[in-house]
């Protein structure tokens, strides 16, 4: 059994706390991780809010062009964009009032981490929501 890291604790806290996931870079293409990962989370009870400048509907949900366009309070922002774009997304998440930022598996950015942590956001990078959800055997928490 591996040692529990701070990231393990943060990932579990995020998945056990947030019932909605705002997905930056969500895709309408079923073969892409940016589609099937949010679809899996949706099937396990999480509400998905897709953000993509090139689509109108993804996973049966209205798509917003930018984080700034998402109405209401944003909690968890999940990112499917290249690492070089993540510092700007981190700044947008902070500006939108997000409280957690999660960069998917294969995506890491010291600059995005610094921006998120300086603003007090919970932060996870280079981890997959599906892998963590399965490892922890969690369903979405009840909406608050």
């Amino acid at each position: 059994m591996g040692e529990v890291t701070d990231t393990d604790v943060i990932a579990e806290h995020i998945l056990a706390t947030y019932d909605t996931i705002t997905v930056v870079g969500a895709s309408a293409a079923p073969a892409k991780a940016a589609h099937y990962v949010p679809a899996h989370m949706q099937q396990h009870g999480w509400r998905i809010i897709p953000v993509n400048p090139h689509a109108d509907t993804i996973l049966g949900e209205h798509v917003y062009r930018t984080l700034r366009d998402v109405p209401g309070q944003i909690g968890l922002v999940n990112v499917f964009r290249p690492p070089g774009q993540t510092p700007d997304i981190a700044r947008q998440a902070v500006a939108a009032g997000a409280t957690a930022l999660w960069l998917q598996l294969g995506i890491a950015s010291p600059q995005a981490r610094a921006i998120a942590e300086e603003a007090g956001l919970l932060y996870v990078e280079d981890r997959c929501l599906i892998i963590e959800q399965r490892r922890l055997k969690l369903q979405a928490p009840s909406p608050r």
Side-chain angles (χ1 to χ4, degrees), residues 6 8 13 16 33 37 58 60 70-71 77 85-86 117 120 125 140-141:
D6 289 343
D8 288 337
H13 175 75
V37 171
I58 295 174
V70 177
V77 174
Q85 293 180 15
T86 60
E117 289 179 347
E125 66 182 9

Side-chain angles (χ1 to χ4, degrees), residues 64-111:
Y64 296 92
R65 299 291 174 241
T66 68
L67 278 174
R68 188 174 33 258
D69 297 332
V70 177
Q73 177 62 44
I74 294 176
L76 170 58
V77 174
N78 177 235
V79 181
F80 284 92
R81 300 301 304 146
Q85 293 180 15
T86 60
D88 188 48
I89 294 166
R91 284 188 280 276
Q92 291 174 36
V94 170
T99 53
L101 183 65
W102 185 306
L103 307 186
Q104 273 299 127
L105 190 63
I107 306 169
S109 168
Q111 191 178 2

